[in-house]
Amino acid sequence: MSVNQSTERAFSDKNILLMDAIKQQLVKHIQGGEAFLPIDKLLPKIPFEALGTVIEGLPYTIWQQFHHLSFCQKDILDFSIDPNYTHYEWPKDYWTTDLAPIIEEEWEVAQETYFKERRQFIDLILDAKTDLNKPFAHGTGQTLFREALLVIEHTAYHTGQILVMARKLQLL
């Protein structure tokens, strides 16, 4: 092996290690808890009966916030894996008009679905074949790295909204 080949291999190995570290950090932030209460710790504190409570001065309920958060995460996942992705209509498709789920089972399924789809997004990020910086062929320059940051930012924002609402309802 020549000096150039040895140097290139060492550089490549360092890049792989760096990319793995970046992927692990993205996952930590997607799961939450680095700078805010993770949603999987917050949701169990909210009783089903409180999901549809309208708080004075706010245009949405806890259910509507969670539904939006979940819908957007799924939308970003779909965009990231489906070359035939089609956009939804903003804001109509992104916000439910239902104040709360009708039955508790609907709430349970919504949470299970959210965490299953989050796991799918994490698995996509952690896949060794995934290049975080490769633009999607069907996008306008978006990369998986950008989409991961979007999920992190969006989740943090809406988790904070749900937390404030739970405090206003004296649930925490």
Side-chain angles (χ1 to χ4, degrees), residues 14-23 26 79-80 121 124-137 139-149:
K14 284 183 181 179
N15 281 344
I16 291 170
L17 290 174
L18 177 60
M19 191 54 64
D20 287 345
I22 290 169
K23 287 180 175 187
L26 288 172
F79 175 77
S80 299
F121 193 69
L124 176 63
I125 290 168
L126 293 176
D127 187 325
K129 297 181 295 267
T130 298
D131 180 349
L132 293 177
N133 295 310
K134 181 180 179 184
F136 296 111
T140 57
Q142 300 94 331
T143 64
L144 186 58
F145 184 70
R146 183 255 187 202
E147 299 306 303
L149 293 177

Side-chain angles (χ1 to χ4, degrees), residues 16-123:
I16 291 170
L17 290 174
L18 177 60
M19 191 54 64
D20 287 345
I22 290 169
K23 287 180 175 187
Q24 290 298 327
Q25 195 62 47
L26 288 172
V27 168
K28 281 183 181 181
H29 284 280
I30 288 169
Q31 292 172 329
E34 294 292 300
F36 58 92
L37 180 69
I39 197 155
D40 57 323
K41 301 283 191 265
L42 175 59
L43 295 180
K45 298 174 189 276
I46 301 171
F48 175 75
E49 299 74 29
L51 295 175
T53 303
V54 176
I55 299 170
E56 186 178 338
L58 295 179
Y60 41 72
T61 65
I62 290 174
W63 166 250
Q64 289 169 324
Q65 280 285 326
F66 179 75
H67 184 277
H68 170 75
L69 174 62
S70 183
F71 185 93
C72 290
Q73 176 183 261
K74 174 69 166 130
D75 184 40
I76 292 166
L77 172 63
D78 289 346
F79 175 77
S80 299
I81 62 175
D82 184 359
N84 298 312
Y85 171 84
T86 55
H87 295 275
Y88 292 96
E89 184 181 332
W90 173 264
K92 181 177 87 58
D93 294 330
Y94 289 83
W95 289 93
T96 182
T97 56
D98 297 336
L99 295 178
I102 296 171
I103 57 172
E104 200 160 348
E105 182 181 6
E106 184 181 354
W107 172 233
E108 296 302 323
V109 169
Q111 292 177 79
E112 289 168 13
T113 301
Y114 171 82
F115 290 112
K116 180 181 127 225
E117 291 166 353
R118 183 175 81 174
R119 181 75 244 167
Q120 290 174 311
F121 193 69
I122 287 170
D123 289 346

